[in-house]
Amino acid sequence: MAFESSLAFGIYSQTKQLLQGGFHSDKPQPQAIIPAGAFAGSIISSILCPTELVKCRMQVQGTDSLISYSSRYNSPLDCAIKTVKAEGPTGIFRGGYTTLLRESLGNASFFTTYEYVRYYMHLQLKDASPHQTHLIDVGIGIMSGGLGGIACWCVVLPFDVAKTIIQTTPDKISTRNPFQVLTSIYRRSGLRGCYAGLGPTVVRAFPANAAAIVTWELAVKMLGIMHD
């Protein structure tokens, strides 16, 4: 997760600067933030899809009695090899479209929330003592990253639910269309079914994303990289 987060931050920062061109403004520019975040998400989705497929299948096999003993996996590598043998090279990318939607929409939501929270918190605290700048920056990083993570998962959790079903279903001919999957879930369980696991996800999202942002911003300062 640390690698994907760092890659997303790096791609986002570079893309946002390119979209802004020579124009610089302290105020967030959604016309640059949203496409930059979506682009970063689309890039890392190609990395996440195979690894998440393996993770989901390894998790499901421990509880799903429908999976026969002969098809169980001994390790992540064993899972990947058996998937490719059974479904071909494209099998390891099952759920790729749904992962793309989740990551592009999620990163656009995350970075938009992050940039606006960061901007308005800096406005409120601009008159603070210079001696407290470091602590203030850490606090802003915690709040902007944490709230960004919550916003991200509130937007994309239904796609994550659909992705898990698509990647773990034993039926090879079942639909891979996330909207059809979500429609089926909604008919059975309503909106609550589409947001299954929202509570634990939000509880995890705040500290995980807060830590990622604080670490990223600290690294940027240490390396002397410009951060708008």
Side-chain angles (χ1 to χ4, degrees):
M1 181 63 72
F3 169 73
E4 289 89 354
S5 297
S6 298
L7 182 60
F9 294 150
I11 295 172
Y12 166 75
S13 297
Q14 293 299 315
T15 305
K16 187 183 75 166
Q17 289 181 18
L18 288 173
L19 291 173
Q20 288 178 330
F23 179 75
H24 176 76
S25 173
D26 292 332
K27 191 172 183 179
Q29 303 296 313
Q31 67 271 23
I33 295 170
I34 295 173
F39 178 70
S42 68
I43 296 298
I44 65 172
S45 67
S46 61
I47 300 171
L48 285 175
C49 183
T51 58
E52 293 221 347
L53 180 139
V54 170
K55 180 198 73 173
C56 289
R57 292 190 173 184
M58 292 290 292
Q59 290 175 333
V60 167
Q61 74 171 353
T63 58
D64 193 348
S65 60
L66 295 176
I67 299 179
S68 63
Y69 182 79
S70 60
S71 65
R72 292 179 183 270
Y73 313 114
N74 298 318
S75 66
L77 180 60
D78 182 50
C79 177
I81 292 173
K82 285 184 176 179
T83 298
V84 172
K85 284 183 178 179
E87 304 177 35
T90 59
I92 199 71
F93 288 96
R94 176 189 268 196
Y97 172 57
T98 312
T99 306
L100 173 64
L101 287 175
R102 187 194 71 174
E103 292 302 314
S104 58
L105 293 173
N107 277 273
S109 302
F110 172 83
F111 284 112
T112 300
T113 304
Y114 160 72
E115 293 281 9
Y116 275 95
V117 172
R118 180 172 174 265
Y119 171 72
Y120 284 110
M121 287 191 72
H122 273 297
L123 278 184
Q124 296 296 320
L125 300 171
K126 62 182 179 180
D127 297 326
S129 169
H131 301 292
Q132 298 176 331
T133 299
H134 179 67
L135 288 177
I136 289 173
D137 287 345
V138 170
I140 291 175
I142 290 172
M143 292 302 298
S144 59
L147 293 176
I150 291 174
C152 166
W153 282 107
C154 286
V155 170
V156 303
L157 186 59
F159 289 109
D160 188 65
V161 172
K163 179 193 70 68
T164 301
I165 293 173
I166 291 169
Q167 291 183 328
T168 59
T169 181
D171 187 357
K172 296 179 183 179
I173 63 172
S174 62
T175 182
R176 299 188 184 185
N177 185 321
F179 299 102
Q180 292 181 359
V181 173
L182 289 173
T183 298
S184 176
I185 294 173
Y186 182 78
R187 287 173 179 169
R188 292 196 313 267
S189 308
L191 192 61
R192 179 176 295 183
C194 297
Y195 277 90
L198 178 62
T201 300
V202 168
V203 169
R204 181 193 66 185
F206 190 96
N209 287 277
I213 282 294
V214 170
T215 302
W216 168 257
E217 292 188 341
L218 178 62
V220 165
K221 288 181 180 179
M222 290 178 66
L223 294 172
I225 301 173
M226 182 180 294
H227 179 45
D228 296 327

